[in-house]
Amino acid sequence: MPPYAGSRGLHFGFGAESTYGTAVSRTHWFRAVSGSIKARVQRAKVPVIGGHSANARAAQRHFDVATEIGGTIEIIGTYEGLGLLLQHTLWAAPSTTGGSSPYTHTYLVGPNKPTGGLTCEEVRGNGTSEVFAGGRISRMVVRCEAGGLVRVTLDLIFQTTAGRDTAGTPSYGASAATEIKHYQGGAASWDGSTYPWRSFEVTIDNKLARRYLVGETNDSRHTADPGMGDDQEIVARLVTDWSSDALRDAHIADTEADLVVAFTGPGSRTFTITVHNAFVGDNDSPVTGPDIIAETTEFRGQDDGTDYGVKFVIVNTQSSATAA
């Protein structure tokens, strides 16, 4: 019996493509919490009548319909290294200020995707890896809870895969050890009040849809560059200990304000999330027993023509916002 393959050593490496779908070397590496990217080939029978053998009732032939390539991965959030992924989630070219370290990098929502997509290499921890090209981030979730680290979940769509091959070698710098920890976070602020939290998460859903077009790509079984199938959705969820009806009343009153959550790490590093023009989409504080009442509040970000729904600001030692 051949030896089994363990899952230790799962890594994901990303690189920014100059041309969508043309693979490039991987420059940003992340140790993964979990994740899997795969190719799924959809096939259908040839729908003819009377094409069966004399003694059979099953179809005789089939053909390829489409190849869907994608998956979900989870990585640990760090003060240095997330810039490329934020740009490819939010789309606007990031800005950097500061003549020397520490540098301040700002990531905003933009109307157009980066010209090229993302190339991703999945190193599987069993001696093999797979390289995917034409990557787009359909959804990003950034979350943290008391007692944990910031985690980043990505839903990814790719155009092609080069197939399984010998594993590449991930390359990490000192920035890989700058994890964002729960005790570095501050209370959430909204509408002039602060809220210590049990857990916080923000979801940026780009609502991307695959596009299968004959003549658009070399092989119409593979998606062209995905497009938005609906409005971008920005949703934050805050779980707190219930102490008053302020958030419930704000839900009824339809109050809007920016929601801000910030983390401060070593060496002047910071990581700040702002959900613009956030209104309370839902609020619930059920009484389920003789325990501390938890209040869950859902905030929804909006565009007001100046601020576009969400902003990330990272302060770190990197001079480049996409290396940051």
Side-chain angles (χ1 to χ4, degrees), residues 7 9 33 71 100 203 264 300:
S7 59
V33 176
S100 61
T203 300
T264 302
R300 291 185 169 266

Side-chain angles (χ1 to χ4, degrees), residues 155-170:
D155 290 348
L156 298 154
I157 296 173
F158 292 94
Q159 184 180 57
T160 60
T161 171
R164 299 272 171 88
D165 204 342
T166 303
T169 303

Side-chain angles (χ1 to χ4, degrees), residues 178-226:
T178 60
E179 298 96 347
I180 306 171
K181 304 171 179 67
H182 66 103
Y183 55 81
Q184 296 167 340
S189 63
W190 184 76
D191 193 34
S193 298
T194 57
Y195 298 91
W197 44 271
R198 299 185 187 185
S199 66
F200 169 80
E201 74 173 43
V202 62
T203 300
I204 301 102
D205 192 343
N206 289 324
K207 304 289 187 180
L208 294 186
R210 290 178 171 86
R211 301 164 56 233
Y212 294 100
L213 301 170
V214 176
E216 174 71 13
T217 64
N218 292 330
D219 187 336
S220 57
R221 291 173 296 182
H222 297 273
T223 182
D225 196 349

Side-chain angles (χ1 to χ4, degrees), residues 134-145:
R136 295 295 186 189
I137 297 174
S138 183
R139 190 175 71 126
M140 171 186 276
V141 181
V142 180
R143 73 181 193 278
C144 186
E145 61 183 22

Side-chain angles (χ1 to χ4, degrees), residues 211-265:
R211 301 164 56 233
Y212 294 100
L213 301 170
V214 176
E216 174 71 13
T217 64
N218 292 330
D219 187 336
S220 57
R221 291 173 296 182
H222 297 273
T223 182
D225 196 349
M228 286 185 63
D230 201 346
D231 290 337
Q232 183 189 54
E233 189 174 55
I234 300 160
V235 178
R237 288 185 175 85
L238 191 70
V239 179
T240 60
D241 288 352
W242 178 90
S243 60
S244 77
D245 285 326
L247 291 172
R248 180 263 181 197
D249 293 345
H251 174 48
I252 301 301
D254 195 20
T255 303
E256 294 183 17
D258 287 353
L259 173 68
V260 181
V261 172
F263 297 81
T264 302

Side-chain angles (χ1 to χ4, degrees), residues 9-11 41 55 58-59 80 87 90-91 99 133 169 173 184 191 202 213 216 243 253 262 279 281 305:
L10 178 64
H11 307 261
V41 182
N55 297 318
E80 305 194 25
Q87 180 190 6
L90 301 180
W91 296 3
T169 303
Q184 296 167 340
D191 193 34
V202 62
L213 301 170
E216 174 71 13
S243 60
F279 68 94

Side-chain angles (χ1 to χ4, degrees), residues 55-138:
N55 297 318
R57 297 187 299 276
Q60 283 188 327
R61 296 170 62 83
H62 66 272
F63 66 99
D64 290 354
V65 176
T67 300
E68 291 188 354
I69 305 172
T72 300
I73 70 171
E74 185 178 53
I75 59 176
I76 297 298
T78 55
Y79 289 102
E80 305 194 25
L82 289 178
L84 179 68
L85 300 181
L86 286 171
Q87 180 190 6
H88 278 260
T89 300
L90 301 180
W91 296 3
S95 63
T96 298
T97 58
S100 61
S101 179
Y103 300 91
T104 299
H105 312 286
T106 302
Y107 305 85
L108 301 171
V109 173
N112 301 311
K113 293 170 290 187
T115 301
L118 290 169
T119 295
C120 176
E121 181 175 357
E122 179 185 29
V123 177
R124 295 169 49 79
N126 62 352
T128 66
S129 69
E130 190 165 0
V131 176
F132 305 89
R136 295 295 186 189
I137 297 174
S138 183

